[in-house]
Amino acid sequence: MTLAVSATSAWQSERNRLLGIAYRMLGDFGHAEDVVSEVAIDAVQRERKADADRVDSWPAWLTTVCVRRSVDRVRQLAAVREEYTGPWLPEPVNASKLPEETVANREFLSLTLLHLAEQLAPEARAALVLHRAFAMSAPEIADILEKTPAAVRQMISRAERRLEIEPEAPAPRAKDRAALEKLVLAIEQGEIDTVVAMLDRDAVLWADGGGKVKSAMNPLFGAARIARFFAGILGKAMVFDPVEPVRAWVTEVNSEAALVLRHHGRSDILVIDTAPDGSIRELRQLSNPDKLTRVSLCPCRFGPSLASRAGPLLPEHRALLRQRWATSAAGWVRTPQSPDGGGALPASRRVTPS
């Protein structure tokens, strides 16, 4: 077997793992694919050099190049994302697009964690991704980042503290899924008060419309503000489609439960993060249609929506729901801001790039 075949076959066998690294680094599947393609070009050029026989391990070499190119791409994208219209959120993907070894550790596929990781310096994010998602040791990561093992351990420890994630693997997010199922019922039945009761007093909502659809241009802080935001959606949806203004169901993106909200002829994805007491402390709403092309919006995994579960709604039932939607939405839109309607997000949970 020639060196050329060895390098090419190594890239082909490692491609999925490299894609998992790049996606976690960038939060954008298209850019991740670009990085992995660039790594393939680098490998071809490397094998043509006279000293190509000095590559002791093509997988290790490919990983190193992928990480370094991802770090460079993160720096390049930072300026682009500063000009982004409204809050920027990671692009969700179906788990089927990610490799088996990547899906095995689902923690760093979470859109919540990918978003929070934006506040880390690129090399710190790389160290955390390699350690948490790919179980690489500090000496292995140090070779890639050209740091000392002690420096890598310190970067990982600081990153974990900043993102408030435990050193050990977290428990399954069953609470998030249960909360989403409850949200489905509350939204479809127009029970905005139930939605408010589920929110932490200092809850925060990020909405990514990317300038393509109407959405909140800044993060919304406090349960009351978030309630009025959803009430506004509900009220406008009543005008757009008086028959069935809103539908909601639970699906799966990035190997975690997510809510699909169908209104105004469009579909949004909503992911949540719950506090230890079960209340919802963070919501991330993806409305930019360009970011929803790699996910399935059907309720095929976690069950159908409320309307589908209950069967076709009779006209009198639809009329009752419409009245409830209209009353609930109008009541919350008119409600003035309470002075204790929510405070600022704790500094550790704010997404402010380093």
Side-chain angles (χ1 to χ4, degrees), residues 172-186 194 198 249-251 256-259 272-274 277-280 302 309:
R173 307 301 298 275
K175 288 191 301 182
D176 289 0
R177 186 175 302 173
L180 283 171
E181 292 281 6
K182 189 175 180 179
L183 270 179
V184 168
L185 296 175
T194 300
M198 297 178 64
W249 60 87
V250 178
T251 187
E256 66 178 345
L259 185 147
I272 64 173
D273 182 52
T274 52
D277 64 0
S279 63
I280 300 173
F302 292 110
R309 283 199 300 270

PDB file of all heavy atoms in Angstrom, residues 172-186 194 198 249-251 256-259 272-274 277-280 302 309:
ATOM      1  N   PRO A 172     -28.940  11.914  32.153  1.00  0.00           N
ATOM      2  CA  PRO A 172     -29.814  12.185  31.003  1.00  0.00           C
ATOM      3  C   PRO A 172     -30.760  13.341  31.288  1.00  0.00           C
ATOM      4  O   PRO A 172     -31.186  13.539  32.423  1.00  0.00           O
ATOM      5  CB  PRO A 172     -30.568  10.852  30.816  1.00  0.00           C
ATOM      6  CG  PRO A 172     -29.690   9.828  31.445  1.00  0.00           C
ATOM      7  CD  PRO A 172     -28.999  10.511  32.586  1.00  0.00           C
ATOM      8  N   ARG A 173     -31.141  14.083  30.248  1.00  0.00           N
ATOM      9  CA  ARG A 173     -31.953  15.274  30.420  1.00  0.00           C
ATOM     10  C   ARG A 173     -33.440  14.943  30.370  1.00  0.00           C
ATOM     11  O   ARG A 173     -34.202  15.507  29.600  1.00  0.00           O
ATOM     12  CB  ARG A 173     -31.597  16.283  29.335  1.00  0.00           C
ATOM     13  CG  ARG A 173     -30.110  16.592  29.236  1.00  0.00           C
ATOM     14  CD  ARG A 173     -29.559  17.153  30.528  1.00  0.00           C
ATOM     15  NE  ARG A 173     -30.177  18.416  30.882  1.00  0.00           N
ATOM     16  CZ  ARG A 173     -29.756  19.580  30.412  1.00  0.00           C
ATOM     17  NH1 ARG A 173     -28.733  19.649  29.593  1.00  0.00           N
ATOM     18  NH2 ARG A 173     -30.369  20.689  30.764  1.00  0.00           N
ATOM     19  N   ALA A 174     -33.849  14.035  31.239  1.00  0.00           N
ATOM     20  CA  ALA A 174     -35.254  13.634  31.255  1.00  0.00           C
ATOM     21  C   ALA A 174     -36.159  14.790  31.662  1.00  0.00           C
ATOM     22  O   ALA A 174     -37.287  14.916  31.197  1.00  0.00           O
ATOM     23  CB  ALA A 174     -35.443  12.450  32.210  1.00  0.00           C
ATOM     24  N   LYS A 175     -35.657  15.659  32.566  1.00  0.00           N
ATOM     25  CA  LYS A 175     -36.479  16.787  33.015  1.00  0.00           C
ATOM     26  C   LYS A 175     -36.788  17.735  31.868  1.00  0.00           C
ATOM     27  O   LYS A 175     -37.895  18.277  31.773  1.00  0.00           O
ATOM     28  CB  LYS A 175     -35.752  17.545  34.134  1.00  0.00           C
ATOM     29  CG  LYS A 175     -35.699  16.828  35.469  1.00  0.00           C
ATOM     30  CD  LYS A 175     -35.195  17.749  36.573  1.00  0.00           C
ATOM     31  CE  LYS A 175     -33.805  18.269  36.268  1.00  0.00           C
ATOM     32  NZ  LYS A 175     -33.287  19.129  37.350  1.00  0.00           N
ATOM     33  N   ASP A 176     -35.818  17.958  30.987  1.00  0.00           N
ATOM     34  CA  ASP A 176     -36.043  18.845  29.851  1.00  0.00           C
ATOM     35  C   ASP A 176     -37.139  18.294  28.944  1.00  0.00           C
ATOM     36  O   ASP A 176     -38.004  19.032  28.471  1.00  0.00           O
ATOM     37  CB  ASP A 176     -34.755  19.026  29.043  1.00  0.00           C
ATOM     38  CG  ASP A 176     -33.722  19.860  29.789  1.00  0.00           C
ATOM     39  OD1 ASP A 176     -34.005  20.293  30.914  1.00  0.00           O
ATOM     40  OD2 ASP A 176     -32.633  20.076  29.237  1.00  0.00           O
ATOM     41  N   ARG A 177     -37.107  16.999  28.704  1.00  0.00           N
ATOM     42  CA  ARG A 177     -38.110  16.382  27.830  1.00  0.00           C
ATOM     43  C   ARG A 177     -39.499  16.475  28.449  1.00  0.00           C
ATOM     44  O   ARG A 177     -40.477  16.797  27.768  1.00  0.00           O
ATOM     45  CB  ARG A 177     -37.736  14.924  27.551  1.00  0.00           C
ATOM     46  CG  ARG A 177     -38.638  14.250  26.544  1.00  0.00           C
ATOM     47  CD  ARG A 177     -38.147  12.862  26.220  1.00  0.00           C
ATOM     48  NE  ARG A 177     -36.786  12.903  25.705  1.00  0.00           N
ATOM     49  CZ  ARG A 177     -36.050  11.820  25.457  1.00  0.00           C
ATOM     50  NH1 ARG A 177     -36.558  10.620  25.675  1.00  0.00           N
ATOM     51  NH2 ARG A 177     -34.827  11.924  24.984  1.00  0.00           N
ATOM     52  N   ALA A 178     -39.593  16.218  29.761  1.00  0.00           N
ATOM     53  CA  ALA A 178     -40.881  16.308  30.434  1.00  0.00           C
ATOM     54  C   ALA A 178     -41.424  17.735  30.396  1.00  0.00           C
ATOM     55  O   ALA A 178     -42.624  17.949  30.196  1.00  0.00           O
ATOM     56  CB  ALA A 178     -40.745  15.834  31.885  1.00  0.00           C
ATOM     57  N   ALA A 179     -40.528  18.709  30.570  1.00  0.00           N
ATOM     58  CA  ALA A 179     -40.955  20.112  30.521  1.00  0.00           C
ATOM     59  C   ALA A 179     -41.447  20.480  29.124  1.00  0.00           C
ATOM     60  O   ALA A 179     -42.419  21.224  28.980  1.00  0.00           O
ATOM     61  CB  ALA A 179     -39.802  21.021  30.945  1.00  0.00           C
ATOM     62  N   LEU A 180     -40.784  19.967  28.096  1.00  0.00           N
ATOM     63  CA  LEU A 180     -41.218  20.254  26.730  1.00  0.00           C
ATOM     64  C   LEU A 180     -42.601  19.665  26.451  1.00  0.00           C
ATOM     65  O   LEU A 180     -43.428  20.296  25.800  1.00  0.00           O
ATOM     66  CB  LEU A 180     -40.196  19.706  25.728  1.00  0.00           C
ATOM     67  CG  LEU A 180     -38.914  20.523  25.555  1.00  0.00           C
ATOM     68  CD1 LEU A 180     -37.912  19.757  24.706  1.00  0.00           C
ATOM     69  CD2 LEU A 180     -39.213  21.881  24.925  1.00  0.00           C
ATOM     70  N   GLU A 181     -42.840  18.454  26.937  1.00  0.00           N
ATOM     71  CA  GLU A 181     -44.151  17.846  26.743  1.00  0.00           C
ATOM     72  C   GLU A 181     -45.238  18.686  27.419  1.00  0.00           C
ATOM     73  O   GLU A 181     -46.332  18.876  26.873  1.00  0.00           O
ATOM     74  CB  GLU A 181     -44.163  16.419  27.322  1.00  0.00           C
ATOM     75  CG  GLU A 181     -43.288  15.434  26.581  1.00  0.00           C
ATOM     76  CD  GLU A 181     -43.941  14.933  25.297  1.00  0.00           C
ATOM     77  OE1 GLU A 181     -45.022  15.441  24.931  1.00  0.00           O
ATOM     78  OE2 GLU A 181     -43.378  14.033  24.670  1.00  0.00           O
ATOM     79  N   LYS A 182     -44.927  19.238  28.580  1.00  0.00           N
ATOM     80  CA  LYS A 182     -45.886  20.085  29.280  1.00  0.00           C
ATOM     81  C   LYS A 182     -46.098  21.395  28.519  1.00  0.00           C
ATOM     82  O   LYS A 182     -47.216  21.920  28.453  1.00  0.00           O
ATOM     83  CB  LYS A 182     -45.383  20.363  30.698  1.00  0.00           C
ATOM     84  CG  LYS A 182     -46.396  21.056  31.585  1.00  0.00           C
ATOM     85  CD  LYS A 182     -45.877  21.184  33.009  1.00  0.00           C
ATOM     86  CE  LYS A 182     -46.897  21.892  33.904  1.00  0.00           C
ATOM     87  NZ  LYS A 182     -46.396  22.005  35.307  1.00  0.00           N
ATOM     88  N   LEU A 183     -45.021  21.913  27.932  1.00  0.00           N
ATOM     89  CA  LEU A 183     -45.132  23.129  27.126  1.00  0.00           C
ATOM     90  C   LEU A 183     -46.035  22.919  25.910  1.00  0.00           C
ATOM     91  O   LEU A 183     -46.784  23.810  25.516  1.00  0.00           O
ATOM     92  CB  LEU A 183     -43.748  23.587  26.664  1.00  0.00           C
ATOM     93  CG  LEU A 183     -42.976  24.551  27.557  1.00  0.00           C
ATOM     94  CD1 LEU A 183     -41.622  24.854  26.946  1.00  0.00           C
ATOM     95  CD2 LEU A 183     -43.751  25.836  27.782  1.00  0.00           C
ATOM     96  N   VAL A 184     -45.927  21.748  25.297  1.00  0.00           N
ATOM     97  CA  VAL A 184     -46.767  21.436  24.143  1.00  0.00           C
ATOM     98  C   VAL A 184     -48.239  21.602  24.509  1.00  0.00           C
ATOM     99  O   VAL A 184     -49.007  22.278  23.813  1.00  0.00           O
ATOM    100  CB  VAL A 184     -46.496  20.012  23.636  1.00  0.00           C
ATOM    101  CG1 VAL A 184     -47.569  19.582  22.644  1.00  0.00           C
ATOM    102  CG2 VAL A 184     -45.130  19.927  22.977  1.00  0.00           C
ATOM    103  N   LEU A 185     -48.636  20.998  25.614  1.00  0.00           N
ATOM    104  CA  LEU A 185     -50.032  21.072  26.033  1.00  0.00           C
ATOM    105  C   LEU A 185     -50.432  22.512  26.360  1.00  0.00           C
ATOM    106  O   LEU A 185     -51.509  22.973  25.979  1.00  0.00           O
ATOM    107  CB  LEU A 185     -50.256  20.173  27.253  1.00  0.00           C
ATOM    108  CG  LEU A 185     -50.053  18.673  27.021  1.00  0.00           C
ATOM    109  CD1 LEU A 185     -50.187  17.917  28.339  1.00  0.00           C
ATOM    110  CD2 LEU A 185     -51.049  18.146  26.003  1.00  0.00           C
ATOM    111  N   ALA A 186     -49.559  23.229  27.065  1.00  0.00           N
ATOM    112  CA  ALA A 186     -49.887  24.597  27.474  1.00  0.00           C
ATOM    113  C   ALA A 186     -50.027  25.520  26.275  1.00  0.00           C
ATOM    114  O   ALA A 186     -50.956  26.331  26.199  1.00  0.00           O
ATOM    115  CB  ALA A 186     -48.816  25.126  28.425  1.00  0.00           C
ATOM    116  N   THR A 194     -49.802  28.840  32.462  1.00  0.00           N
ATOM    117  CA  THR A 194     -49.038  27.619  32.730  1.00  0.00           C
ATOM    118  C   THR A 194     -47.605  27.758  32.237  1.00  0.00           C
ATOM    119  O   THR A 194     -46.659  27.316  32.908  1.00  0.00           O
ATOM    120  CB  THR A 194     -49.711  26.412  32.048  1.00  0.00           C
ATOM    121  OG1 THR A 194     -51.036  26.260  32.553  1.00  0.00           O
ATOM    122  CG2 THR A 194     -48.932  25.135  32.310  1.00  0.00           C
ATOM    123  N   MET A 198     -44.014  27.706  34.557  1.00  0.00           N
ATOM    124  CA  MET A 198     -42.892  26.790  34.309  1.00  0.00           C
ATOM    125  C   MET A 198     -41.562  27.520  34.225  1.00  0.00           C
ATOM    126  O   MET A 198     -40.501  26.888  34.322  1.00  0.00           O
ATOM    127  CB  MET A 198     -43.128  26.029  33.003  1.00  0.00           C
ATOM    128  CG  MET A 198     -44.341  25.128  33.008  1.00  0.00           C
ATOM    129  SD  MET A 198     -44.578  24.322  31.400  1.00  0.00           S
ATOM    130  CE  MET A 198     -43.093  23.330  31.294  1.00  0.00           C
ATOM    131  N   TRP A 249     -45.229  20.293  18.883  1.00  0.00           N
ATOM    132  CA  TRP A 249     -44.933  18.891  19.169  1.00  0.00           C
ATOM    133  C   TRP A 249     -43.456  18.756  19.513  1.00  0.00           C
ATOM    134  O   TRP A 249     -42.654  19.659  19.273  1.00  0.00           O
ATOM    135  CB  TRP A 249     -45.298  17.985  17.988  1.00  0.00           C
ATOM    136  CG  TRP A 249     -44.592  18.291  16.702  1.00  0.00           C
ATOM    137  CD1 TRP A 249     -43.377  17.827  16.287  1.00  0.00           C
ATOM    138  CD2 TRP A 249     -45.072  19.139  15.632  1.00  0.00           C
ATOM    139  NE1 TRP A 249     -43.060  18.320  15.046  1.00  0.00           N
ATOM    140  CE2 TRP A 249     -44.084  19.124  14.618  1.00  0.00           C
ATOM    141  CE3 TRP A 249     -46.224  19.893  15.445  1.00  0.00           C
ATOM    142  CZ2 TRP A 249     -44.223  19.844  13.431  1.00  0.00           C
ATOM    143  CZ3 TRP A 249     -46.364  20.600  14.266  1.00  0.00           C
ATOM    144  CH2 TRP A 249     -45.372  20.574  13.272  1.00  0.00           C
ATOM    145  N   VAL A 250     -43.107  17.627  20.076  1.00  0.00           N
ATOM    146  CA  VAL A 250     -41.731  17.373  20.497  1.00  0.00           C
ATOM    147  C   VAL A 250     -41.051  16.481  19.471  1.00  0.00           C
ATOM    148  O   VAL A 250     -41.624  15.494  19.013  1.00  0.00           O
ATOM    149  CB  VAL A 250     -41.689  16.708  21.889  1.00  0.00           C
ATOM    150  CG1 VAL A 250     -40.250  16.392  22.292  1.00  0.00           C
ATOM    151  CG2 VAL A 250     -42.334  17.628  22.925  1.00  0.00           C
ATOM    152  N   THR A 251     -39.851  16.855  19.098  1.00  0.00           N
ATOM    153  CA  THR A 251     -39.047  16.047  18.180  1.00  0.00           C
ATOM    154  C   THR A 251     -37.640  15.917  18.763  1.00  0.00           C
ATOM    155  O   THR A 251     -37.441  16.141  19.966  1.00  0.00           O
ATOM    156  CB  THR A 251     -39.021  16.710  16.775  1.00  0.00           C
ATOM    157  OG1 THR A 251     -38.376  15.828  15.857  1.00  0.00           O
ATOM    158  CG2 THR A 251     -38.300  18.045  16.800  1.00  0.00           C
ATOM    159  N   GLU A 256     -31.183  15.429  21.417  1.00  0.00           N
ATOM    160  CA  GLU A 256     -31.928  15.853  22.596  1.00  0.00           C
ATOM    161  C   GLU A 256     -33.333  16.270  22.167  1.00  0.00           C
ATOM    162  O   GLU A 256     -33.575  16.580  20.999  1.00  0.00           O
ATOM    163  CB  GLU A 256     -31.222  17.013  23.309  1.00  0.00           C
ATOM    164  CG  GLU A 256     -31.169  18.288  22.493  1.00  0.00           C
ATOM    165  CD  GLU A 256     -30.507  19.437  23.241  1.00  0.00           C
ATOM    166  OE1 GLU A 256     -30.337  19.344  24.472  1.00  0.00           O
ATOM    167  OE2 GLU A 256     -30.160  20.433  22.590  1.00  0.00           O
ATOM    168  N   ALA A 257     -34.233  16.266  23.120  1.00  0.00           N
ATOM    169  CA  ALA A 257     -35.611  16.654  22.821  1.00  0.00           C
ATOM    170  C   ALA A 257     -35.684  18.146  22.525  1.00  0.00           C
ATOM    171  O   ALA A 257     -34.986  18.956  23.124  1.00  0.00           O
ATOM    172  CB  ALA A 257     -36.513  16.305  24.003  1.00  0.00           C
ATOM    173  N   ALA A 258     -36.545  18.497  21.577  1.00  0.00           N
ATOM    174  CA  ALA A 258     -36.773  19.894  21.214  1.00  0.00           C
ATOM    175  C   ALA A 258     -38.230  20.057  20.840  1.00  0.00           C
ATOM    176  O   ALA A 258     -38.905  19.105  20.449  1.00  0.00           O
ATOM    177  CB  ALA A 258     -35.869  20.305  20.051  1.00  0.00           C
ATOM    178  N   LEU A 259     -38.726  21.276  20.976  1.00  0.00           N
ATOM    179  CA  LEU A 259     -40.115  21.570  20.642  1.00  0.00           C
ATOM    180  C   LEU A 259     -40.182  22.237  19.281  1.00  0.00           C
ATOM    181  O   LEU A 259     -39.403  23.144  18.994  1.00  0.00           O
ATOM    182  CB  LEU A 259     -40.726  22.479  21.714  1.00  0.00           C
ATOM    183  CG  LEU A 259     -42.217  22.813  21.600  1.00  0.00           C
ATOM    184  CD1 LEU A 259     -42.819  22.971  22.987  1.00  0.00           C
ATOM    185  CD2 LEU A 259     -42.437  24.104  20.816  1.00  0.00           C
ATOM    186  N   ILE A 272     -34.708  23.950  25.508  1.00  0.00           N
ATOM    187  CA  ILE A 272     -34.734  24.550  26.836  1.00  0.00           C
ATOM    188  C   ILE A 272     -33.642  23.961  27.713  1.00  0.00           C
ATOM    189  O   ILE A 272     -33.089  22.900  27.431  1.00  0.00           O
ATOM    190  CB  ILE A 272     -36.107  24.348  27.520  1.00  0.00           C
ATOM    191  CG1 ILE A 272     -36.354  22.850  27.765  1.00  0.00           C
ATOM    192  CG2 ILE A 272     -37.214  24.975  26.705  1.00  0.00           C
ATOM    193  CD1 ILE A 272     -37.601  22.561  28.583  1.00  0.00           C
ATOM    194  N   ASP A 273     -33.346  24.683  28.782  1.00  0.00           N
ATOM    195  CA  ASP A 273     -32.426  24.202  29.810  1.00  0.00           C
ATOM    196  C   ASP A 273     -33.113  24.417  31.147  1.00  0.00           C
ATOM    197  O   ASP A 273     -33.554  25.537  31.450  1.00  0.00           O
ATOM    198  CB  ASP A 273     -31.099  24.963  29.758  1.00  0.00           C
ATOM    199  CG  ASP A 273     -30.115  24.448  30.794  1.00  0.00           C
ATOM    200  OD1 ASP A 273     -29.883  23.224  30.842  1.00  0.00           O
ATOM    201  OD2 ASP A 273     -29.573  25.267  31.571  1.00  0.00           O
ATOM    202  N   THR A 274     -33.242  23.366  31.933  1.00  0.00           N
ATOM    203  CA  THR A 274     -33.956  23.459  33.193  1.00  0.00           C
ATOM    204  C   THR A 274     -32.994  23.614  34.361  1.00  0.00           C
ATOM    205  O   THR A 274     -31.872  23.106  34.350  1.00  0.00           O
ATOM    206  CB  THR A 274     -34.824  22.209  33.428  1.00  0.00           C
ATOM    207  OG1 THR A 274     -34.021  21.034  33.271  1.00  0.00           O
ATOM    208  CG2 THR A 274     -35.972  22.164  32.444  1.00  0.00           C
ATOM    209  N   ASP A 277     -34.366  22.764  40.134  1.00  0.00           N
ATOM    210  CA  ASP A 277     -35.721  22.602  40.666  1.00  0.00           C
ATOM    211  C   ASP A 277     -36.747  22.263  39.592  1.00  0.00           C
ATOM    212  O   ASP A 277     -37.943  22.145  39.867  1.00  0.00           O
ATOM    213  CB  ASP A 277     -36.154  23.866  41.417  1.00  0.00           C
ATOM    214  CG  ASP A 277     -36.256  25.092  40.508  1.00  0.00           C
ATOM    215  OD1 ASP A 277     -35.993  24.959  39.296  1.00  0.00           O
ATOM    216  OD2 ASP A 277     -36.584  26.176  41.019  1.00  0.00           O
ATOM    217  N   GLY A 278     -36.293  22.125  38.342  1.00  0.00           N
ATOM    218  CA  GLY A 278     -37.191  21.757  37.251  1.00  0.00           C
ATOM    219  C   GLY A 278     -37.767  22.919  36.477  1.00  0.00           C
ATOM    220  O   GLY A 278     -38.400  22.721  35.436  1.00  0.00           O
ATOM    221  N   SER A 279     -37.578  24.142  36.957  1.00  0.00           N
ATOM    222  CA  SER A 279     -38.080  25.305  36.224  1.00  0.00           C
ATOM    223  C   SER A 279     -37.197  25.561  35.003  1.00  0.00           C
ATOM    224  O   SER A 279     -36.023  25.171  34.962  1.00  0.00           O
ATOM    225  CB  SER A 279     -38.094  26.539  37.121  1.00  0.00           C
ATOM    226  OG  SER A 279     -36.775  26.874  37.530  1.00  0.00           O
ATOM    227  N   ILE A 280     -37.770  26.224  34.011  1.00  0.00           N
ATOM    228  CA  ILE A 280     -37.040  26.508  32.778  1.00  0.00           C
ATOM    229  C   ILE A 280     -36.263  27.811  32.956  1.00  0.00           C
ATOM    230  O   ILE A 280     -36.853  28.866  33.153  1.00  0.00           O
ATOM    231  CB  ILE A 280     -37.995  26.621  31.582  1.00  0.00           C
ATOM    232  CG1 ILE A 280     -38.762  25.306  31.399  1.00  0.00           C
ATOM    233  CG2 ILE A 280     -37.232  26.970  30.307  1.00  0.00           C
ATOM    234  CD1 ILE A 280     -39.852  25.382  30.335  1.00  0.00           C
ATOM    235  N   PHE A 302     -40.857  11.352  19.218  1.00  0.00           N
ATOM    236  CA  PHE A 302     -41.397  11.466  20.566  1.00  0.00           C
ATOM    237  C   PHE A 302     -42.917  11.562  20.612  1.00  0.00           C
ATOM    238  O   PHE A 302     -43.493  11.863  21.618  1.00  0.00           O
ATOM    239  CB  PHE A 302     -40.797  12.686  21.271  1.00  0.00           C
ATOM    240  CG  PHE A 302     -39.340  12.517  21.551  1.00  0.00           C
ATOM    241  CD1 PHE A 302     -38.398  13.259  20.856  1.00  0.00           C
ATOM    242  CD2 PHE A 302     -38.903  11.601  22.482  1.00  0.00           C
ATOM    243  CE1 PHE A 302     -37.059  13.101  21.109  1.00  0.00           C
ATOM    244  CE2 PHE A 302     -37.556  11.441  22.743  1.00  0.00           C
ATOM    245  CZ  PHE A 302     -36.633  12.190  22.053  1.00  0.00           C
ATOM    246  N   ARG A 309     -52.862  13.663  18.842  1.00  0.00           N
ATOM    247  CA  ARG A 309     -53.139  12.643  19.848  1.00  0.00           C
ATOM    248  C   ARG A 309     -54.630  12.569  20.137  1.00  0.00           C
ATOM    249  O   ARG A 309     -55.186  11.511  20.384  1.00  0.00           O
ATOM    250  CB  ARG A 309     -52.378  12.961  21.142  1.00  0.00           C
ATOM    251  CG  ARG A 309     -50.915  12.623  21.098  1.00  0.00           C
ATOM    252  CD  ARG A 309     -50.374  12.539  22.517  1.00  0.00           C
ATOM    253  NE  ARG A 309     -50.535  13.809  23.232  1.00  0.00           N
ATOM    254  CZ  ARG A 309     -49.647  14.777  23.243  1.00  0.00           C
ATOM    255  NH1 ARG A 309     -48.526  14.628  22.573  1.00  0.00           N
ATOM    256  NH2 ARG A 309     -49.850  15.886  23.922  1.00  0.00           N
TER     257      ARG A 309
END
